[in-house]
Amino acid sequence: MTIISNTVTYLDGDVVLEAFFAFDDALSGRRPAVLINHTWVGRDEFVAEKAKKLAALGYVGFAVDMYGKGVLGSGPEQNMKLMQPFMDDRAMLQQRMKAALAAVKLMPWVDDSKIASIGFCFGGLCSLDLARTGADIKGVVSFHGLLVPPGNTHGNAIKAKILALHGHDDPMVSPEQVLAFEQEMTEAGADWQLHAYGNTMHAFTNPLANDSAFGTVYQPDADRRSWTAMQNFLTEIFA
C-alpha cells in the first residue's frame, strides 16, 4: 500500500476551490471515488484524514472545498458566518457540490461511473443536497448531518442510495426533522436508511468535540459503528 495525497484546484464560476485527495498508488486502474464534505469549519485536517482512510480502503478520497482556497473558520462565530450563506442559498450550495463532482470525474484514477459522497455535520447536508438534485451518483452518507430540506428540489427523483447516520440526542436535528426527512426520502423514491445511535449527540465522530452544553460530544462507539456502516454501504453500492 502506497498512499499518495495532494491538493488540486478547481472552479465554481470565478471562485477558486482547493480539494485534498488521496489514493493508493499500489493499485492499478480506475477505482470508485468518494467525495468528503467538511463541517462548518472548512476543508481541514479532519476531512484530509478521512480521504487517506478511504484511499486505504481502495477508493479515491476527495475532500471537497465549499468555502474557497485557504478559507477556514477559527471558531463558532466565524464558522457560522462561512456556513450561513450556503444555508440561506441552497441552490448556491448545490452548484458548489456539482463543481466538486465535475472535478473528481476528471481525475485519472477515478471510475466516473462509481462515485459516492459522504459528509459530516454541514457536510452531511451538502451530500444529501447533491442527492436531492437528482445527481447520477451511487450513494451518499450523512454523518450527524443537518436534515432540513432545501425547498428547491421537491419532485426530483433521487437516484443515489441514502444512508443517514444520526445521533438520537442531537439537539441540532429534532425528532420532527428526522420524521420529515424520512417522509421526504420516501416521497422522492429513494433507497434510504437512517441509523440512530442512542445516547449520542451532534459531532459524534469528532474526537475534539466535548461541549455538551452546545450539543457536540464525541461518542467513540457511534464513531466506530458509523464508519463500519459506511464501509458496508460503499461495498454494496460499488459492487
Side-chain angles (χ1 to χ4, degrees):
M1 183 182 295
T2 308
I3 303 301
I4 304 295
S5 62
N6 208 333
T7 57
V8 60
T9 57
Y10 62 106
L11 295 173
D12 175 20
D14 58 359
V15 179
V16 179
L17 305 156
E18 184 181 66
F20 176 94
F21 68 93
F23 65 96
D24 184 355
D25 196 41
L27 300 177
S28 61
R30 296 176 183 264
R31 67 212 69 171
V34 182
L35 302 175
I36 308 148
N37 296 283
H38 57 71
T39 70
W40 66 343
V41 175
R43 201 222 79 209
D44 58 1
E45 190 61 25
F46 179 81
V47 285
E49 286 303 313
K50 300 300 183 188
K52 294 174 185 176
K53 288 182 70 173
L54 285 160
L57 294 173
Y59 308 120
V60 175
F62 187 94
V64 172
D65 177 11
M66 292 295 288
Y67 293 160
K69 184 177 179 178
V71 179
L72 281 175
S74 58
E77 185 176 353
Q78 188 181 13
N79 298 346
M80 181 61 75
K81 286 182 179 179
L82 290 170
M83 179 180 73
Q84 196 59 48
F86 293 94
M87 300 300 295
D88 294 338
D89 187 349
R90 298 284 279 275
M92 177 174 71
L93 182 156
Q94 293 154 10
Q95 178 55 41
R96 185 101 359 135
M97 284 300 303
K98 289 177 180 178
L101 179 59
V104 80
K105 285 182 174 181
L106 294 176
M107 305 199 85
W109 313 278
V110 171
D111 178 349
D112 62 12
S113 70
K114 292 184 176 181
I115 295 177
S117 182
I118 72 171
F120 301 82
C121 307
F122 168 62
L125 178 141
C126 292
S127 285
L128 291 170
D129 261 24
L130 181 61
R132 285 167 165 138
T133 67
D136 190 13
I137 59 175
K138 293 297 185 181
V140 306
V141 183
S142 166
F143 291 84
H144 42 82
L146 306 176
L147 301 180
V148 60
N152 69 335
T153 57
H154 183 73
N156 288 354
I158 293 180
K159 300 173 185 175
K161 294 182 179 180
I162 306 292
L163 174 60
L165 304 165
H166 170 66
H168 179 267
D169 302 321
D170 188 336
M172 300 176 195
V173 181
S174 69
E176 292 78 17
Q177 288 177 336
V178 172
L179 180 59
F181 171 76
E182 293 171 347
Q183 293 172 335
E184 176 199 358
M185 292 295 107
T186 299
E187 290 173 3
D191 177 337
W192 66 270
Q193 306 172 57
L194 187 142
H195 298 189
Y197 301 104
N199 304 304
T200 301
M201 301 178 82
H202 193 69
F204 59 78
T205 64
N206 185 353
L208 301 180
N210 62 357
D211 188 347
S212 58
F214 188 54
T216 54
V217 178
Y218 178 59
Q219 218 291 6
D221 289 338
D223 182 20
R224 184 187 71 255
R225 292 165 181 168
S226 63
W227 189 256
T228 298
M230 179 214 69
Q231 290 183 71
N232 293 337
F233 179 77
L234 294 179
T235 298
E236 176 189 326
I237 65 172
F238 290 142

